[in-house]
Structure formats: C-alpha cells, structure tokens
Amino acid sequence: DLAMDLAKDGSAEYPTRTAPPTPATQGSSSQGRMDILVAQLRAAAKSFATMPIAQRITLAEAMQQGYLRIAERSVQAGCKAKGIAFDSPTAAEEWATGPWGIVRQLRLLCESLRAIERNGNTDIGKVTRTINCNLAVRVFPANAIDGMLFKDVTVEVHMQPQVSLESLAADRASFYQKPEHAGKIVLVLGAGNIAAIGVMDVITKMFNEGKVCLFKMNPANAYLGPFIEEAFKAAIDQHFLAVVYGSAEEGRHLVYHPDIDEVHLTGSDKTHDEIVWGGSGAQQQERKQRNEPLLKKTITSELGNISPVIIVPGPYTAKEIQFQAETITAAITMNASFLCNAAKMLVMPKGWVGSTSFMQAIQKECSRVEPRQAYYPGALDRWQALIKGRKNITHIGMPAPGALPWTFITDLDANDQNERLFREEPFCSVLSSVQLASAEPVEFLKEAVEFVNKRLWGSLNVTLIVHPKSLQDTLVKTAFEQAIAKLEYGTVAVNTFPGLSFTIATAPWGAYPGATLNDIQSGRGFVHNTPMLAGIEKAVIRAPLTSFPKPAFLPSHRNAHTVMKRMVAMEEKASWVKVPGLVWAALRG
C-alpha cells in the first residue's frame, strides 16, 4: 500500500504529519464519481485526439480567457494560504508561479498550433552546435517583447547526440505530424506547492500530446481546484478534462484504474517508487530486483532535486557579488523554499577569498527577507531532522510562530559518503555548502561537475555563476562550455534563477534523460516545450551577471507584485500596448 499521498509534491520526502494550514474547499471525490469521470474521458478521448487544429486553438484560447478571469482570485487564495499580504511585493510570487506561466503557455501553444496549421510544423529559432557538436535550438526570446523585457537572456535547447537537422524537423510536433495514438487518458497527479505546476502539466499533455486528462488536486492546495474548474470549463464540459480531489485512497484507485492509460507525477521519488513498485522496504526491493513493476503503464514524472549553485572563481566586484547573492537569495526564499528548483547546495572553490565573500553576502541578503510561514506539510519535522546534531549552522531571521528561519549548514565534507544532505532534498528553508578543488577555474569546474553529477541526488536543475571576464580566457571558456555539456541536469542556468526557465514555457522542463524506473532520480520526460521538440537533452538559460532594471523575482524589488500582474495581462496576446505600463512598474522597483 502507498504510505503517503500519491499526489504529494515531491520534494517532500517524508510522510505528512500535519494538515495544511488552509483546508481544502473540496472534499474527496468518491470512487464511483471518479469512475464516471474516467468513462466520460474515455468516450471523448478519440474525438480529442482527432480534433482539427482550428478547434484545438479555439479551445486553448477559451482556456486562457477562463484562467485570466480567475487569475486574481486564485492569487488571493494562494496568498491567504501562505500567509502573504496580497498588496505586498511578495505577492508577486503567486502571480509568477501561477497565472504568468499558464497564460503564457496557452498563448505560445496557440502560436505553435497556427504554425503547424500553416506550415506543417512549429517555428523554432536559430540552430547551432554545442561544444560537443550536439544541435542547439534557440527557443527564447520567443518574440521582440521577450527580447526587450529580458535583455540578453537566452534559452537554447541542447538536443541528444542522435538528433540531426533532418530528424529535428521530422520528429518535432510528432503528435501532429504522425500521431502515435488515437486517444489516451493521462492521470496528472498535481503538486501541492505552487499553482502552475499541475496546470502546466495538464496543458502539455493535452496540447503537445493530444491526450485527455484527469487532474487530481494535491490536498495541500486543493483550494485552487474550483478556480481551475471554472477557468477550464470549456474543456471540462466536453470531457477533455476532469478535476478530482482526495488523498492516498483516491490516488491509489486512479493510478491502477484499468481505463487510465498513463500517469504523470510531480512529486516525490519515494511516492514514484511506491506507485511503480508497490509497498516499501523489502517487498519493494524484491520487485526491483526481479524487474517486476506493479504499475505496467507509462509513467512520466518530475521529482525534485538537490539544486546546486556552482560559483566559478573570477574577478567579481562587490556590486556584482551583491547582485548574484540576491539572485541566490531569491532561489532560497521564494515560496518559503518549497520549490523543486530552490537553491539547496552552494558549491564553491576551496581557498578562494570569494567563497567567503559570496557566503557573507548571501546571508546578508537573507537577513533582509522575513522568514516565511512553513505552510507545506511536514516542513518542521524535516527541518529539525536535518539540523539535529549539526555543527556549522547559522540561523538567519526571527521567525514568527509557524515560520522557519533561513538556515545555513556550511563546510560539508565533499568526501563524506554518508552525508545526508548529499542524498536528500531539504524541502524547507535549508541551504548547505561545500568547498572543493581550488581557486583555479578550470580545475574547479572539472571537480564541481564531477561532484554534482555523481554525489548529489537529482538531475533536474543546476546553476552556474561565472564572470564574463573569466570567459575571455580561451581555456576557461572552453572548460565552461564543456561543463555545461557534461552537467547531467535537465536545466542549466547561467547567472540566473532556473525557475525562470520553468515559467517561460518555450523551454522544456524535466530531468536529464536516462533515468530508469529502478533509479528514477528527478524523473523522466519533459513538459512545457511549446515548440514541441523531440530528442531533448537539456535546456540552457543564460543571463547577464547583473541587469537593470532589476528582475522582479529579486526580494528587494519594491513593486514586484504590480510588475507580475501587468506581465500576466501582457502575456494574453503579447501586447505592445501593455508594455509601457509594465516597464514603468519595473523601473519603480
């Protein structure tokens, strides 16, 4: 039997011991009702798979308009559940991790569908080669507005070695070029930490893959379910989508339901293994050894990560360190650190004075961010377990009741084979650090890549911080590009927060390919990916070391909530009319 909620967000690897502070507005869905919904989805699956593109565009537009209508109310609900003032800059998090990505993804999908209707394939940007000669496809900026609002930020998708220019075209948008099914039902087990994850997973499965979806809300944020049902009424009324509620019992019933064709989970690797292999302990291990999974159907997943931040030594000024320290702080503190891409492990050069400077600057920036409510179930237990008996701990902030301080665990031994923080994702307000190699950039890069690839659990995302002057040295630049090529992560972020790549939707989001059901790591498969690329290895997002105006995700931005609300409105149609007001709000940060 499953030991924890099948829909639980995955970065939380421990059974829930306490209920979320804001109870779900919806109770469990009865098994009888769920069976009826599955039957309705089954009856509609073929018509959805064969739906003409024009009708598919109409449906996506209706879903976007529906979500725009509930966007502000859903943000208010998220703020209430997480103890955030709706009129504060921190509310920008709920706009960014909810409506922004959803509204943008639906617009971009409509653009891709129109391109398929017009040209038989999606549009992509410039195609180049990586240092190891793999194809690299530019997918961001997706238009001139992106280029202006995110100056000098780019995303390239590095393809797997076997992808050629011919197969890049032939295999793109494969469902539309050569459909591999005539109607399937996917059970999407939603994440409990942010609003966008489950919804963007559903949108991917519906429009990239042509599958109808049964979306099970996570108990931790089931209060969002009624908003989703209202927003996506056009799809629900035609039985292309259904939303259900409940915990482990309902999840178990659906996972093994004979009429569910596939499962997609954003959750824990522990939950994944309970679904695939059944039970736990010896029984599960025996099944793994016999290679006899309990679940016989396809399962895709995104299962968290010990997200590393690798700081390459270089000639950073105090201002540059401060800017990047605040960027890392954003990656620690956003959503109270309940993110699969939250910064969790600083990897810095041993013997480099900059390692101390960066750590001091990050702690200083964290001291300016009020400790957040630890709203995610089990957070206190996890935090206490991780700090118990530790040395070299620093707590930042004076947390109110129900909140946790920003906690730094420093100077971990890179050679300690038993270090728990190398094996378990701290899904709470903990950041650890390790120093290795030396202040020589080429040596450090080589050892850092080896360490994060081989010693840290997970394969979802990694951040590299590098000074542009360092890259003027040919040897360092070559080593840096080789490091990007060798990093076994689905997203590599250079000088920015990898969560930005998650939200911009043209980029694929998922674990580095190659995980097996026996050793799942951060999961299998990619979502978002509005150009519908096939044969993806990783996405690489690059940003300047500093930028002006400051990004709205930085904690010190005084007007971030206004920026993100206007960003959502602009994304509806990528409207230039709405850009001046957006830029004015950004400049006031």
Side-chain angles (χ1 to χ4, degrees):
D1 290 341
L2 295 177
M4 56 183 128
D5 174 22
L6 291 172
K8 188 174 180 183
D9 180 80
S11 311
E13 299 176 358
Y14 304 80
T16 299
R17 297 185 183 178
T18 57
T22 302
T25 57
Q26 298 289 310
S28 298
S29 302
S30 71
Q31 291 186 9
R33 179 175 178 270
M34 289 190 295
D35 289 345
I36 291 171
L37 292 173
V38 171
Q40 291 172 337
L41 290 167
R42 172 60 62 200
K46 182 176 181 180
S47 64
F48 185 68
T50 57
M51 175 185 284
I53 289 180
Q55 292 181 28
R56 204 172 291 268
I57 293 169
T58 299
L59 177 63
E61 289 175 336
M63 292 171 68
Q64 189 206 50
Q65 290 302 306
Y67 207 90
L68 283 164
R69 284 193 293 272
I70 61 89
E72 185 161 330
R73 285 179 283 141
S74 70
V75 168
Q76 288 173 332
C79 288
K80 180 179 179 182
K82 298 174 184 181
I84 299 169
F86 178 68
D87 59 353
S88 72
T90 307
E93 293 180 11
E94 292 302 301
W95 286 103
T97 61
W100 180 28
I102 295 166
V103 170
R104 178 178 170 87
Q105 182 187 21
L106 285 165
R107 173 179 61 79
L108 290 166
L109 278 169
C110 287
E111 292 177 6
S112 287
L113 290 170
R114 290 188 185 98
I116 294 170
E117 191 176 43
R118 182 175 61 250
N119 304 320
N121 213 333
T122 60
D123 295 330
I124 56 174
K126 184 179 180 182
V127 180
T128 57
R129 295 275 181 180
T130 68
I131 195 168
N132 57 351
C133 293
N134 290 17
L135 293 180
V137 182
R138 179 70 59 88
V139 297
F140 186 88
N143 59 24
I145 293 178
D146 285 348
M148 191 194 77
L149 295 179
F150 298 90
K151 183 173 172 53
D152 297 326
V153 176
T154 63
V155 180
E156 290 182 330
V157 179
H158 291 193
M159 309 306 293
Q160 295 179 33
Q162 74 276 10
V163 177
S164 65
L165 287 170
E166 293 74 22
S167 65
L168 178 66
D171 296 339
R172 196 160 75 249
S174 61
F175 173 73
Y176 297 94
Q177 296 205 63
K178 42 191 175 185
E180 71 280 10
H181 68 88
K184 285 187 175 182
I185 303 175
V186 181
L187 170 64
V188 176
L189 298 174
N193 55 342
I194 64 173
I197 291 177
V199 175
M200 293 180 76
D201 291 346
V202 165
I203 292 168
T204 303
K205 294 297 178 181
M206 288 181 65
F207 292 97
N208 290 40
E209 301 177 18
K211 299 163 185 173
V212 298
C213 292
L214 183 61
F215 182 26
K216 181 186 175 297
M217 298 299 300
N218 188 297
N221 62 1
Y223 59 85
L224 294 171
F227 298 116
I228 295 167
E229 292 186 71
E230 180 183 342
F232 295 160
K233 186 176 184 297
I236 291 171
D237 284 351
Q238 297 177 76
H239 306 304
F240 301 148
L241 170 66
V243 180
V244 295
Y245 305 82
S247 292
E249 184 177 351
E250 291 79 14
R252 185 184 303 112
H253 176 72
L254 292 172
V255 162
Y256 304 111
H257 195 292
D259 278 337
I260 295 291
D261 298 303
E262 300 178 7
V263 177
H264 179 79
L265 165 69
T266 300
S268 165
D269 63 314
K270 306 296 188 296
T271 305
H272 173 276
D273 284 355
E274 289 170 350
I275 290 173
V276 173
W277 302 102
S280 60
Q283 183 186 43
Q284 189 179 101
Q285 289 305 312
E286 288 172 7
R287 282 202 181 98
K288 284 187 174 183
Q289 290 170 3
R290 297 194 306 268
N291 196 27
E292 294 179 0
L294 186 65
L295 186 74
K296 307 298 184 184
K297 58 190 72 172
T298 297
I299 180 169
T300 54
S301 53
E302 191 263 80
L303 307 172
N305 194 54
I306 301 176
S307 302
V309 179
I310 300 171
I311 302 177
V312 181
Y316 303 92
T317 65
K319 181 179 178 180
E320 290 164 345
I321 290 175
Q322 188 276 332
F323 186 94
Q324 282 299 320
E326 190 174 5
T327 299
I328 295 169
T329 296
I332 299 167
T333 62
M334 185 177 292
N335 202 45
S337 212
F338 299 123
L339 291 173
C340 58
N341 47 38
K344 290 299 165 191
M345 183 68 63
L346 287 181
V347 181
M348 300 185 291
K350 187 182 296 183
W352 178 52
V353 66
S355 296
T356 300
S357 299
F358 263 95
M359 179 60 74
Q360 291 174 343
I362 294 165
Q363 292 183 349
K364 182 177 180 180
E365 292 301 321
C366 280
S367 72
R368 296 171 175 166
V369 181
E370 183 178 351
R372 299 282 295 278
Q373 289 294 310
Y375 71 87
Y376 203 87
L380 176 60
D381 293 334
R382 289 190 296 278
W383 181 79
Q384 290 176 333
L386 289 169
I387 68 171
K388 185 177 180 180
R390 293 273 182 185
K391 298 179 180 179
N392 300 323
I393 293 183
T394 301
H395 299 302
I396 305 284
M398 298 293 291
L404 292 173
W406 311 118
T407 298
F408 291 76
I409 304 176
T410 56
D411 299 324
L412 297 180
D413 181 357
N415 297 312
D416 186 351
Q417 299 294 322
N418 298 314
E419 177 53 67
R420 181 177 183 178
L421 288 163
F422 297 160
R423 295 181 285 107
E424 297 181 14
E425 177 187 13
F427 202 58
C428 58
S429 57
V430 170
L431 176 76
S432 306
S433 69
V434 63
Q435 295 188 17
L436 39 81
S438 71
E440 200 285 309
V442 174
E443 178 192 359
F444 171 73
L445 278 164
K446 182 178 179 180
E447 289 200 28
V449 170
E450 179 76 10
F451 175 78
V452 300
N453 278 350
K454 304 301 182 187
R455 298 297 311 285
L456 295 187
W457 177 82
S459 54
L460 185 63
N461 64 91
V462 58
T463 301
L464 285 164
I465 297 174
V466 65
H467 200 288
K469 289 183 180 178
S470 299
L471 299 179
Q472 293 174 5
D473 183 313
T474 302
L475 290 177
V476 175
K477 181 173 177 59
T478 299
F480 185 75
E481 294 301 324
Q482 288 174 338
I484 291 175
K486 291 177 181 178
L487 282 165
E488 296 173 356
Y489 288 84
T491 294
V492 178
V494 178
N495 292 338
T496 193
F497 175 39
L500 181 59
S501 189
F502 171 95
T503 311
I504 63 176
T506 50
W509 182 260
Y512 188 80
T516 65
L517 291 178
N518 264 298
D519 182 18
I520 194 61
Q521 294 287 308
S522 294
R524 300 202 300 182
F526 288 95
V527 292
H528 308 175
N529 182 28
T530 58
M532 305 183 194
L533 298 167
I536 296 162
E537 182 181 88
K538 67 185 70 166
V540 180
I541 179 170
R542 303 181 194 236
L545 189 64
T546 64
S547 62
F548 178 83
K550 68 174 68 173
F553 62 75
L554 294 186
S556 67
H557 201 295
R558 297 167 296 177
N559 204 32
H561 54 314
T562 304
V563 172
M564 292 315 305
K565 182 177 180 179
R566 292 181 181 179
M567 181 74 82
V568 171
M570 183 278 297
E571 290 287 8
E572 176 186 0
K573 297 183 183 298
S575 171
W576 279 104
V577 172
K578 296 183 179 179
V579 168
L582 174 56
V583 171
W584 174 243
L587 290 169
R588 295 175 64 200

